[in-house]
Amino acid sequence: EKETTIRVLPFKLLGMAFLLLSMLLMVHKTQAQSKVYWVNNGNGSVTQANLDGSSPTIIAPGLNSPDGACISNGLGKIYWVQGGNDSLYRANLDGSNKVRLLKVGIGVRGISIDEINGRLYIIGTNGYAICDLNGNLISKYLGLNVSGRQIAVDPINSKIYFTDQGSRLMVANTD
């Protein structure tokens, strides 16, 4: 458990819209195919579809409160967190080879990927955690007086941006 400094940023709606769009819909593009992916907390699944919305296919059914997901384009993997069991999961983009990587222990809500540095940033109701792409925990920040909802990482500027249930947009350094 480490200490970190968090700043509340003065803008709310613009930042919230950015985070919601970046976290709810993920696009994977290759020469062979382009797909959009999203989690559905209502039916407990991860779904993929063509970019025009056609051919939606559930690739990971029967999940326990999936709350956020992100894609590793380089590895061809999708990662998601499940609030129901406070865990991080990974699967191939077709849903095969699903594996639970880590019980996070922060009341998981959202996830973002930094492919440049090979890290996942996970926000929860009791702080946030950083792990590598295999689910090995690097660090955990607890008791930050933040009930996180969405998270986005800016690896170029070494910042993470996240929202809380009070609709505040906050920023912290990635280290």
Side-chain angles (χ1 to χ4, degrees):
E1 183 178 330
K2 293 184 176 181
E3 290 188 23
T4 189
T5 301
I6 298 173
R7 288 185 302 131
V8 177
L9 299 179
F11 46 94
K12 291 183 181 179
L13 292 178
L14 180 62
M16 287 292 291
F18 163 75
L19 284 171
L20 286 173
L21 289 175
S22 68
M23 302 318 305
L24 297 179
L25 297 175
M26 297 137 311
V27 176
H28 175 71
K29 289 182 134 185
T30 65
Q31 290 181 346
Q33 69 175 354
S34 296
K35 299 283 185 182
V36 61
Y37 294 79
W38 66 94
V39 296
N40 185 333
N41 193 286
N43 72 2
S45 68
V46 176
T47 303
Q48 73 172 6
N50 295 324
L51 292 181
D52 64 2
S54 64
S55 302
T57 305
I58 293 174
I59 62 166
L63 306 180
N64 189 353
S65 299
D67 285 318
C70 61
I71 290 175
S72 168
N73 287 302
L75 296 175
K77 304 282 186 189
I78 186 164
Y79 296 84
W80 68 89
V81 293
Q82 289 183 202
N85 63 8
D86 202 19
S87 296
L88 166 67
Y89 289 81
R90 177 183 67 200
N92 294 333
L93 290 175
D94 64 1
S96 64
N97 296 318
K98 178 179 126 179
V99 62
R100 179 177 166 184
L101 296 176
L102 177 67
K103 180 157 179 68
V104 185
I106 59 170
V108 296
R109 292 296 188 139
I111 185 171
S112 188
I113 190 167
D114 170 0
E115 286 199 90
I116 294 171
N117 297 301
R119 292 183 173 190
L120 296 166
Y121 292 82
I122 304 166
I123 192 76
T125 57
N126 192 31
Y128 69 92
I130 304 167
C131 63
D132 67 21
L133 298 181
N134 291 315
N136 298 306
L137 189 65
I138 295 170
S139 55
K140 191 185 294 188
Y141 300 87
L142 300 173
L144 302 175
N145 196 24
V146 171
S147 185
R149 301 297 290 180
Q150 291 92 21
I151 189 166
V153 62
D154 174 3
I156 304 300
N157 295 303
S158 300
K159 301 288 184 195
I160 56 170
Y161 297 88
F162 51 95
T163 63
D164 70 0
Q165 291 182 359
S167 298
R168 297 179 300 172
L169 178 62
M170 293 169 267
V171 63
N173 292 329
T174 55
D175 51 3

